[in-house]
Amino acid sequence: MRTYLVVVDESSEAESALLFAARRAAKTSGGVHMLALVPKTEFVQWGAVQATMEEEARARAEALAMGAAGTLMAEAGIQPALTVKIGDPIASVKEMLASGEPVAALVLGAAPKGAPGPLVTHFAGHDAGALPCPVMIIPGSLSREDIERLS
């Protein structure tokens, strides 16, 4: 089965990437695997405070991803897989791609203005030639209709 790996966060460009991946998956009888990233908190002197901060960030990421999963089910009839990872975003994506799970494409959203974002910059530049799958970069400026048409 064709599985599209999508990194989800609270940005509008991530929403565009998820919509594109869902539409492609629906049209190709594929699936969507959402990766919600939680940044590692800076070291806090009191371990319990740091653990609480990380747990709250993880809960926010899970809630965001579950909301996105509900939207995917309603709009495309796709039940996505979900993984939440704490730590460096680039390392987390690389780990997912190296996990052995077949991925048809890494789908990332680019910011509509300015720098495209750290994941797009890294995976479309530095590591582009060594990836086990293509990278699809969805411009954040595309409308919902544009994404429907292109997917």
Side-chain angles (χ1 to χ4, degrees):
M1 179 168 75
R2 302 177 75 94
T3 299
Y4 296 91
L5 177 62
V6 182
V7 177
V8 294
D9 58 22
E10 296 171 337
S11 67
S12 61
E13 55 266 20
E15 186 178 321
S16 296
L18 185 59
L19 177 61
F20 180 87
R23 295 294 182 229
R24 286 298 310 146
K27 290 178 181 178
T28 61
S29 300
V32 174
H33 192 133
M34 297 186 318
L35 174 60
L37 300 174
V38 179
K40 185 103 172 123
T41 57
E42 295 297 319
F43 176 75
V44 177
Q45 187 171 1
W46 298 282
V49 172
Q50 182 172 358
T52 300
M53 289 169 59
E54 285 180 0
E55 188 53 41
E56 287 173 355
R58 182 182 193 86
R60 273 194 320 275
E62 286 175 351
L64 171 74
M66 293 308 286
T71 301
L72 238 73
M73 277 298 293
E75 291 188 10
I78 294 173
Q79 177 66 46
L82 170 64
T83 300
V84 178
K85 290 197 172 279
I86 296 175
D88 176 59
I90 291 170
S92 296
V93 172
K94 284 181 176 182
E95 185 180 316
M96 285 294 298
L97 292 173
S99 71
E101 182 179 330
V103 174
L106 171 61
V107 183
L108 300 171
K113 292 183 179 181
L119 292 175
V120 172
T121 298
H122 182 83
F123 289 105
H126 185 266
D127 270 357
L131 294 173
C133 65
V135 177
M136 295 179 164
I137 300 171
I138 311 307
S141 62
L142 292 179
S143 70
R144 191 173 192 80
E145 293 76 27
D146 291 336
I147 292 171
E148 293 281 344
R149 182 178 45 79
L150 293 170
S151 63

